[in-house]
Amino acid sequence: MADGMWSRAAAKMNQPALTIVMYHYVRPIAGSQYPRIRGLELTDFEGQLDYIERYHQVVSMAQVLAASRQEAALAPGSVLLTFDDGYLDHYAHVFPALARRGMTGVFFPPTCAVRDRRMLDVNKIHFILASVDGLDDVIAYMEEEVTKAGLRPVAEYREELRTPNRFDTADTMYVKRMLQFALAADLRAAIVDALFRRFVSQDEEGFAETVYMSESQTREMVVGGMSIGGHGSAHQWLDKMQPDDQRKDIADSLQWLEAMGASREHFLFCYPYGGYNAHTLAALRERNCAAAFTTKVDLAVISAETMLELPRLDTNDLPRSGDELPVTWTEKALKESAA
C-alpha cells in the first residue's frame, strides 16, 4: 500500500496511547556544587533514552499535531519528550544528547527567566532546599515570618500542608506548599528572597545566568529542530489569576515565542505548576493554541478534543537503563497501542 493510502487508512483508526515524559533539571549532579538538587543525573538521562529507544519510538511535536488532525497515525509505543523551565541544562546537555540520536524534544522556557534573567520563585526554593543540610532553619524562619504577619497559627498550616507526596518528604512539601501557594504572594516572595540571599546567593541575576538558557541558545535549538512552547510570561499559577491577567500573560508569552522563531500556527503551551481553569482554556483557544501540557499523570489520548489537557509521566516513572525490563507504564502504553 502506498504511504499516502496507508496514512489515510490509519487516520481512521483510534490513535495509540502516547507516552509524554516530563523533565526538569538534567545535569551532572553528584559532585556538583548542588548535589542535593532534585533532578536527573545526565548519565541516567542517557540510560533512560536507551530504554526509550529499546521499547518506544520518540516522535516529534509535528507528528503529534498531525495525529490530532487525523492526518496520520502515531506508531505504537510513541513517546514525546518535554522539558520544562528553560534550564541551561537543556541547551548544554539535553539538546546535544537528542541531536546525537536523531531525536527531538519540546521545551517550555518561561519568558521572565530566559529573557529577563529573573530567578523563578520555584527555582529559588529548589536551590534553597539544595543548599541546607536540614530544613530546621528554613522552617523556623518561614514560621517566624508567618507569625509576625498575624496569620493563622503555624500549627494549622503544618496540619494541613505537612504531608509527603510521591517524591518529597513531609517537611520538604510543607516548605514548598507554603512558599508556592499557601501564603499571600507578597509574603511568599519576601520570605523566598530572604532565604535565597541567606543560603544561596546575593546576586540573583548572576545566579540566573548559571541556571537558564539564553535567548540566542533558545533560537539555536529551534534552528536545530527542537520545538518550543510557552510556560507563562511570569511563571505564575494561572488558575489563581483573573481572566484578563491570564490572557495578558499568555499573549506576552506568545509574542516572545514568535521572536524566538516559534510558529504562531503551532503555538504550544505548558501550564506553570500544572495550574489552569476554564478561563485559561478559553484564553488558549482564543490564541489558537495547538497543544497544552498538564502535570496530570497518565498516558495521553490524542484527538482534537484532548489537545489542551495533555497528561504526562514524570521522568521518575520510567527506568534509567536500557537493560531494564518494561515497567507498568511501558506495559500499559504497549498494551493500549496493540489494542
Side-chain angles (χ1 to χ4, degrees):
M1 181 182 292
D3 289 346
M5 293 177 63
W6 181 88
S7 296
R8 287 192 296 273
K12 296 179 181 179
M13 303 171 61
N14 292 329
Q15 294 287 352
L18 174 66
T19 303
I20 307 176
V21 188
M22 171 178 59
Y23 296 90
H24 289 89
Y25 301 105
V26 181
R27 56 171 62 184
I29 298 174
S32 72
Q33 185 177 356
Y34 297 98
R36 296 189 187 93
I37 201 75
R38 294 296 301 273
L40 185 64
E41 278 282 0
L42 183 57
T43 52
D44 289 338
F45 177 63
E46 294 280 6
Q48 192 161 90
L49 293 182
D50 291 340
Y51 175 86
I52 290 171
E53 278 190 315
R54 180 177 180 184
Y55 294 106
H56 298 276
Q57 176 176 319
V58 173
V59 294
S60 68
M61 194 67 230
Q63 289 173 286
V64 175
L65 293 178
S68 74
R69 297 188 297 266
Q70 291 292 292
E71 295 173 359
L74 293 174
S78 290
V79 167
L80 182 71
L81 306 177
T82 67
F83 302 85
D84 292 9
D85 294 342
Y87 298 126
L88 181 58
D89 301 5
H90 300 163
Y91 173 79
H93 306 305
V94 173
F95 178 35
L98 296 182
R100 283 195 302 270
R101 296 172 184 256
M103 296 177 176
T104 62
V106 190
F107 297 81
F108 297 107
T111 307
C112 62
V114 177
R115 182 189 65 195
D116 305 329
R117 315 316 273 168
R118 279 171 40 204
M119 286 292 298
L120 305 180
D121 281 353
V122 64
N123 294 146
K124 288 182 182 179
I125 295 168
H126 291 161
F127 282 98
I128 292 165
L129 295 173
S131 298
V132 296
D133 292 329
L135 293 180
D136 289 350
D137 289 344
V138 171
I139 292 174
Y141 178 81
M142 179 180 71
E143 292 184 339
E144 180 182 351
E145 294 303 302
V146 169
T147 301
K148 287 179 182 178
L151 303 179
R152 289 189 292 153
V154 294
E156 293 185 9
Y157 286 108
R158 283 191 176 218
E159 182 177 359
E160 179 182 341
L161 302 173
R162 191 179 173 275
T163 57
N165 73 356
R166 64 192 188 119
F167 299 129
D168 288 317
T169 66
D171 279 347
T172 297
M173 288 309 302
Y174 176 47
V175 172
K176 286 184 175 181
R177 288 166 179 150
M178 288 286 280
L179 299 182
Q180 288 180 5
F181 62 83
L183 302 177
D186 290 347
L187 180 58
R188 291 200 314 265
I191 295 173
V192 170
D193 286 347
L195 290 169
F196 185 79
R197 289 192 299 269
R198 177 180 172 184
F199 293 112
V200 185
S201 175
Q202 298 280 335
D203 180 9
E204 177 179 335
E205 184 175 347
F207 195 84
E209 291 285 346
T210 70
V211 175
Y212 305 111
M213 67 176 75
S214 67
E215 290 190 312
S216 63
Q217 290 166 343
T218 304
R219 292 190 186 96
E220 183 180 340
M221 291 172 66
V222 173
V223 172
M226 303 297 134
S227 297
I228 62 168
H231 201 30
S233 179
H235 197 272
Q236 298 178 345
W237 293 80
L238 294 174
D239 55 333
K240 302 181 188 300
M241 297 168 61
Q242 294 298 314
D244 286 347
D245 292 331
Q246 290 193 42
R247 290 189 181 90
K248 184 180 185 303
D249 188 273
I250 291 169
D252 289 347
S253 182
L254 177 54
Q255 183 178 17
W256 180 77
L257 287 173
E258 289 184 291
M260 294 299 101
S263 168
R264 175 180 283 272
E265 182 182 356
H266 297 144
F267 169 42
L268 309 174
F269 197 80
C270 177
Y271 303 109
Y273 303 103
Y276 68 100
N277 57 24
H279 297 296
T280 323
L281 295 172
L284 290 176
R285 292 189 183 102
E286 289 172 7
R287 299 283 173 178
N288 297 316
C289 182
F293 297 78
T294 74
T295 55
K296 295 176 181 177
V297 181
D298 205 347
L299 302 179
V301 176
I302 300 302
S303 71
E305 293 74 28
T306 63
M307 293 302 289
L308 295 187
E309 297 183 86
L310 295 172
R312 298 184 289 175
L313 304 187
D314 189 88
T315 174
N316 292 297
D317 292 317
L318 295 178
R320 302 176 182 184
S321 168
D323 295 330
E324 295 190 45
L325 296 175
V327 293
T328 301
W329 285 112
T330 298
E331 292 174 343
K332 182 179 179 182
L334 296 176
K335 180 179 180 179
E336 292 190 8
S337 295

